[in-house]
Amino acid sequence: MMENFVVSARKYRPADFKSVVGQEHITTTLKNAIKNNHLAQAFLFCGPRGVGKTTCARILAKTINCENRQDDQEACGECESCVSFKNNSSFNIYELDAASNNSVDDIRNLVDQVRYAPQKGQYKVYIIDEVHMLSNQAFNAFLKTLEEPPKYAIFILATTEKHKIIPTILSRCQIFDFNRIQIDHISNHLKYIAEKESVDFEEEALRLIATKADGALRDALSIFDLIVTYSAGKKVTYHETIDNLHILDYDYYFKVVDALIEEDLSKVLLIFDEILKKGFDGHNFIVGLSEHFRDLLVAKDPATVELIQVSENAKQRYLQQTEAASTSFLLSALNIANQCDIHYKTAKNQRLHVELALMKMSKLPQAFKLANLAAEEAKKKA
Ligand SMILES: Nc1ncnc2c1ncn2[C@@H]1O[C@H](COP(=O)(O)OP(=O)(O)O)[C@@H](O)[C@H]1O
Ligand SMILES: [Mg+2]
Ligand SMILES: [Zn+2]
């Protein structure tokens, strides 16, 4: 397997609408437009990097040129046109990366191209990536073509920065907003690829990669490739993954909270010391701890437990730990962690700043016990 491992992002670029992950609102609309012959001539695809904009543009180009389109509005994948798309040899698709080709001349070239009708197939599709990077002059040179395009021309403009697109362009395009892709969807997709590539894995590891990718499927695939390469043909494990990505094992958060509940301040401080010695940053730690408190709070109620985005396995640990902690403790601790986070950058001694927060947290259980006692006493007297 390892010898011929190729970059997953390229190998697994979806070839049809139904393989695009997490953008159903877009693929369904496009398929309906094809079906009803209501295709716009200019589209604006907006959204973060690596979520399928270029992919969808290429699928659209391939599908509307397919000689044998299927009933579900997918390309057949086998006709002459589909094959030329697959081999990147179709003359009916033209891609311009405006990030590096943003001069008036580049656009004039494109506009010249648009004059020629396709020799084969029905449509010519022009994709202009990062269209917000076009110079003003280039924009103007393009505007007329965008306003009165020949019937066979379809423009797909893509951008990661919608706010930079001028109103003249916005008003002439059908706008599609691409989503960040959810952790669940990304990890399922990684699972699918790992199985196809016969790569062994722990689900926890894939989930971590999915989290790290922050909604971008392409990033998830490159991280996955990296970890597979490191693991040298062995299993992709959670531990390997946190090591390679330099992520703090969430086990530490469980340990810290256990020690806080036990009011064992020394243990808490020693764990924090260990974390710093491993080269982790105090600020990341306190942010991670805040998230951990949040997850514990969310795990308190069966109605919200689904809001913690972790594997089944990890969920059980949250459920256990939250049993052992009171809601008031978790809320107050979260509050202290949050204050620590807010003031971290201005603290002179940042280590002490975090330690102080941990000290306060470790006194919470006792404070709540005393408060409860006092309340009971008051009740007895009344
Ligand atoms: N929604 C998605 N479904 C499946 N794969 C995706 C998706 N988005 C991105 N990818 C993967 O990432 C690669 C790059 O995606 P691309 O469409 O070029 O992203 P964008 O144009 O939005 O930056 C694709 O080849 C594919 O492997
Ligand atoms: Mg792109
Ligand atoms: Zn076809």
Side-chain angles (χ1 to χ4, degrees):
M1 178 276 301
M2 285 312 297
E3 307 82 57
N4 46 24
F5 196 81
V6 298
V7 180
S8 301
R10 221 173 288 159
K11 183 161 173 189
Y12 289 95
R13 188 189 280 282
D16 50 23
F17 288 123
K18 63 175 179 293
S19 332
V20 176
V21 177
Q23 311 290 5
E24 287 78 11
H25 62 301
I26 285 161
T27 51
T28 310
T29 312
L30 288 175
K31 279 203 260 187
N32 280 337
I34 296 174
K35 185 172 170 190
N36 302 328
N37 236 326
H38 261 322
L39 213 54
Q41 280 201 279
F43 295 90
L44 182 65
F45 286 3
C46 312
R49 266 170 247 282
V51 297
K53 298 184 300 300
T54 304
T55 303
C56 283
R58 289 191 190 169
I59 295 172
L60 179 66
K62 172 171 134 181
T63 311
I64 57 183
N65 278 303
C66 174
E67 294 152 23
N68 187 18
R69 205 160 57 236
Q70 313 287 293
D71 289 340
D72 59 356
Q73 308 306 320
E74 295 281 9
C76 74
E78 286 161 8
C79 67
E80 202 183 322
S81 168
C82 282
V83 170
S84 68
F85 269 96
K86 189 153 88 194
N87 300 335
N88 282 325
S89 60
S90 172
F91 290 111
N92 288 345
I93 186 163
Y94 187 101
E95 290 185 47
L96 180 82
D97 180 7
S100 42
N101 311 288
N102 50 15
S103 72
V104 191
D105 281 343
D106 292 316
I107 278 294
R108 288 217 178 104
N109 267 337
L110 183 138
V111 169
D112 281 344
Q113 286 261 345
V114 177
R115 285 206 206 104
Y116 303 102
Q119 304 217 308
K120 273 188 187 156
Q122 225 182 327
Y123 296 101
K124 277 171 111 178
V125 176
Y126 299 85
I127 303 174
I128 306 182
D129 223 347
E130 299 301 353
V131 66
H132 62 274
M133 308 269 283
L134 284 182
S135 66
N136 266 344
Q137 257 187 318
F139 251 142
N140 289 333
F142 177 53
L143 210 54
K144 201 164 159 299
T145 312
L146 189 65
E147 273 171 343
E148 292 165 8
K151 268 212 318 283
Y152 51 79
I154 291 191
F155 294 96
I156 301 179
L157 317 181
T159 183
T160 48
E161 302 187 47
K162 187 180 178 181
H163 59 278
K164 290 194 181 155
I165 305 290
I166 54 173
T168 8
I169 301 273
L170 285 176
S171 64
R172 281 164 183 76
C173 296
Q174 183 176 9
I175 300 174
F176 284 114
D177 290 301
F178 281 67
N179 292 331
R180 261 177 214 292
I181 301 167
Q182 288 178 12
I183 295 178
D184 268 343
H185 287 159
I186 298 186
S187 46
N188 282 338
H189 193 61
L190 291 177
K191 205 164 139 184
Y192 160 81
I193 291 175
E195 277 160 7
K196 283 234 155 188
E197 297 287 327
S198 319
V199 172
D200 267 348
F201 60 88
E202 288 176 3
E203 297 226 359
E204 210 84 324
L206 301 188
R207 195 159 254 289
L208 191 64
I209 296 172
T211 311
K212 193 76 181 169
D214 194 25
L217 202 47
R218 181 188 12 227
D219 293 2
L221 295 180
S222 11
I223 301 172
F224 175 74
D225 279 345
L226 197 77
I227 309 276
V228 171
T229 312
Y230 278 138
S231 71
K234 294 198 300 281
K235 199 169 179 173
V236 173
T237 64
Y238 176 76
H239 277 286
E240 189 114 17
T241 309
I242 51 171
D243 276 356
N244 283 320
L245 297 180
H246 198 65
I247 294 172
L248 187 57
D249 191 341
Y250 67 71
D251 207 42
Y252 278 112
Y253 298 121
F254 280 104
K255 281 195 208 148
V256 167
V257 172
D258 276 342
L260 286 172
I261 295 171
E262 290 160 17
E263 300 174 51
D264 190 343
L265 176 60
S266 315
K267 200 174 188 181
V268 174
L269 294 178
L270 287 173
I271 299 172
F272 179 50
D273 180 58
E274 187 183 331
I275 292 170
L276 292 179
K277 280 200 181 121
K278 284 196 154 192
F280 288 99
D281 168 63
H283 199 187
N284 283 343
F285 165 72
I286 207 71
V287 171
L289 187 60
S290 305
E291 286 167 1
H292 189 76
F293 285 129
R294 177 266 186 196
D295 287 344
L296 289 171
L297 277 164
V298 161
K300 278 250 172 251
D301 186 346
T304 49
V305 72
E306 287 310 315
L307 296 179
I308 34 176
Q309 300 234 333
V310 295
S311 69
E312 230 6 83
N313 216 350
K315 203 175 276 169
Q316 291 310 318
R317 288 191 74 181
Y318 281 98
L319 289 171
Q320 268 170 18
Q321 190 163 62
T322 202
E323 284 264 301
S326 70
T327 305
S328 3
F329 166 76
L330 292 174
L331 266 177
S332 306
L334 174 58
N335 195 23
I336 294 170
N338 192 35
Q339 287 303 315
C340 177
D341 167 22
I342 293 169
H343 298 297
Y344 188 90
K345 287 273 185 287
T346 53
K348 274 240 169 68
N349 184 340
Q350 299 182 318
R351 176 179 181 133
L352 181 63
H353 184 64
V354 175
E355 285 174 342
L356 181 62
L358 294 172
M359 289 174 200
K360 287 182 189 162
M361 291 176 200
S362 73
K363 294 297 165 206
L364 287 172
Q366 203 184 357
F368 285 122
K369 264 180 232 156
L370 287 175
N372 281 341
L373 271 182
E376 270 167 36
E377 283 298 312
K379 238 192 243 164
K380 270 187 214 157
K381 276 183 194 154

